[in-house]
Amino acid sequence: MQHQSPIQRRKSRQIHVGKVAIGGDAPISVQSMTNTETRDVAATVAQIQRLEAVGADIVRVSVPSMEAAEAFKAIRAQVEVPLVADIHFDHRIALQVMTDGVDGLRINPGNIGAIDKARLVVEMAKDKGIPIRIGVNAGSLEKDLQEKYGEPTPEALVESALRHVAILDELNFHDVKISVKASDVFLAVDAYRLLAQKVDYPLHLGITEAGGLRSGTVKSAIGLGLLLNEGIGDTIRVSLAADPVEEIRVGFDILKSLHLRQKGINLIACPSCSRQEFDVIKTINALEGRLEDILEPMDVSVIGCVVNGIGEAKEADIGLTGGDKRSILYYRGKQVDRIENQDIVDVLEKRIRAEVAERRAARNEA
């Protein structure tokens, strides 16, 4: 059963990164970044395709050199998902990837030299309809701002961002989104809150360098969750020292938990106790592995006993309540079968895939 989110989102302009709308009333998009050597075309393409398979809306690729820019051209030709090129300092790289079909740039105009260089980039971006993300990080704050504020502060991050915005405003370029990231949750959250009061550009949320899979997930869920709950944020990237595929999964899990976006199976499961009639943890681990390719939104409840199981099962699209040797299967709130406990994983997978196929067929008929 899908729920309406009570969150009132901040009003922002809308831009497009390729086919993906960001800001305005567009769904909050989820993106990641490759961690392969960009010049290794085959490895980078393979990773992007894996990200596409789990639902990535946008993928960012680091392009640190002209050699990497040449590789980017070959990469662009082999994948469908919108690609953003991450560029620092060298405006020539930006010009090259725009020629080769990039969908967006992450480049700070104040860091690429004289205004004439920024103007060349902006003119081509404007001509090709390519948006620019201004990306400010606490770890690379300008020296004069570090001296002014003594350390990275929300005010320092926002002042840095507004400097770059001013350059683009001067060049009459407004196809922009902004990020003000920090590894400290409070610093990042306060910076985004302050920025949201000063501009109406769409905001790219992230807690940068958040850490490994577990700790980074926790920090990102808290930081992004605080902002998203206040209606702030139009696209998100969960930064993890882990397989980038996990960034997409965690990103969608954060949005699902706030009812901001539904994609894939939402597994509702008890932590298990001595009342469980089957091994809940083993069952959930098996289902997660088998169902990771499904992007259709669906609530599936798997509860080990009848204490909470019946109520959860009736609210889910498909539900299972543990019973002695045989568990009760629910479909759209109604009891439909009893199944042997040793068959739970196989039966649930079959039922879920059948529901996905039925929904697709209904959409095709419509």
Side-chain angles (χ1 to χ4, degrees):
M1 182 177 294
Q2 308 303 318
H3 301 277
Q4 187 73 27
S5 176
I7 295 170
Q8 297 296 313
R9 290 177 58 192
R10 159 184 169 269
K11 296 185 184 300
S12 66
R13 306 185 191 193
Q14 187 172 96
I15 66 171
H16 287 80
V17 178
K19 62 186 178 183
V20 177
I22 298 175
D25 60 355
I28 297 171
S29 55
V30 179
Q31 55 185 281
S32 182
M33 184 174 183
T34 58
N35 60 13
T36 55
E37 166 56 69
T38 302
R39 291 174 298 178
D40 186 339
V41 173
T44 305
V45 167
Q47 189 171 80
I48 293 171
Q49 290 172 339
R50 289 178 59 232
L51 290 167
E52 283 186 277
V54 295
D57 296 305
I58 299 166
V59 177
R60 181 157 45 112
V61 179
S62 177
V63 188
S65 65
M66 292 302 291
E67 291 81 4
E70 286 298 320
F72 180 87
K73 181 179 181 179
I75 294 164
R76 171 70 283 176
Q78 297 180 56
V79 298
E80 297 296 326
V81 68
L83 297 181
V84 171
D86 192 285
I87 299 165
H88 293 272
F89 310 124
D90 192 340
H91 76 291
R92 298 172 304 159
I93 299 173
L95 298 175
Q96 184 62 52
V97 296
M98 284 193 286
T99 300
D100 294 333
V102 77
D103 298 289
L105 296 176
R106 189 272 186 169
I107 188 169
N108 290 343
N111 295 345
I112 55 176
I115 189 66
D116 288 344
K117 294 178 180 179
R119 182 177 288 107
L120 288 173
V121 171
V122 166
E123 286 176 353
M124 182 177 284
K126 191 182 301 184
D127 182 61
K128 293 181 174 291
I130 295 171
I132 293 174
R133 172 162 74 92
I134 294 169
V136 174
N137 277 11
S140 56
L141 201 60
E142 293 95 322
K143 185 177 180 180
D144 68 305
L145 291 177
Q146 293 184 42
E147 293 175 350
K148 176 179 178 180
Y149 290 96
E151 62 181 359
T153 65
E155 293 77 12
L157 294 177
V158 171
E159 184 172 336
S160 176
L162 294 180
R163 283 182 179 180
H164 297 295
V165 170
I167 294 171
L168 295 179
D169 281 345
E170 183 181 340
L171 297 173
N172 196 31
F173 186 85
H174 308 291
D175 204 5
V176 173
K177 56 190 169 92
I178 310 174
S179 64
V180 282
K181 298 184 181 183
S183 59
D184 180 83
V185 169
F186 291 108
L187 175 56
V189 168
D190 286 344
Y192 277 109
R193 285 170 173 162
L194 181 60
L195 182 63
Q197 296 171 6
K198 294 182 176 294
V199 299
D200 65 352
Y201 290 113
L203 300 183
H204 167 122
L205 301 189
I207 305 297
T208 195
E209 292 128 14
L213 180 56
R214 185 191 64 181
S215 61
T217 295
V218 172
K219 287 173 70 174
S220 294
I222 293 171
L224 302 189
L226 284 168
L227 291 166
L228 291 167
N229 189 54
E230 295 172 16
I232 297 171
D234 302 285
T235 183
I236 65 172
R237 190 261 173 118
V238 176
S239 298
L240 300 175
D243 186 337
V245 165
E246 298 299 332
E247 298 185 349
I248 299 299
R249 290 174 176 156
V250 172
F252 275 112
D253 283 344
I254 291 171
L255 295 181
K256 282 191 288 187
S257 71
L258 294 170
H259 304 308
L260 285 168
R261 190 159 174 205
Q262 301 295 327
K263 180 169 284 193
I265 305 299
N266 178 34
L267 280 171
I268 301 156
C270 64
S272 76
C273 69
S274 63
R275 288 192 298 267
Q276 67 180 359
E277 300 288 358
F278 60 90
D279 190 330
V280 174
I281 294 174
K282 183 178 180 181
T283 299
I284 291 299
N285 287 338
L287 286 171
E288 285 183 335
R290 291 194 188 190
L291 303 174
E292 63 182 13
D293 62 303
I294 294 178
L295 302 182
E296 181 77 24
M298 193 184 308
D299 288 340
V300 176
S301 170
V302 181
I303 309 296
C305 75
V306 297
V307 173
N308 294 320
I310 294 174
E312 292 287 1
K314 287 182 176 180
E315 292 297 317
D317 297 301
I318 296 173
L320 187 90
T321 298
D324 183 21
K325 296 182 181 178
R326 301 177 74 204
S327 292
I328 309 168
L329 182 67
Y330 290 79
Y331 177 61
R332 298 181 182 176
K334 296 182 179 180
Q335 181 178 335
V336 294
D337 203 358
R338 282 185 174 270
I339 60 178
E340 300 293 331
N341 286 349
Q342 67 266 22
D343 298 330
I344 286 173
V345 175
D346 291 337
V347 171
L348 282 177
E349 181 186 10
K350 183 177 180 180
R351 175 70 70 160
I352 290 165
R353 292 191 182 279
E355 174 69 6
V356 171
E358 183 179 325
R359 292 183 184 185
R360 288 175 178 169
R363 285 197 294 269
N364 289 338
E365 289 179 7

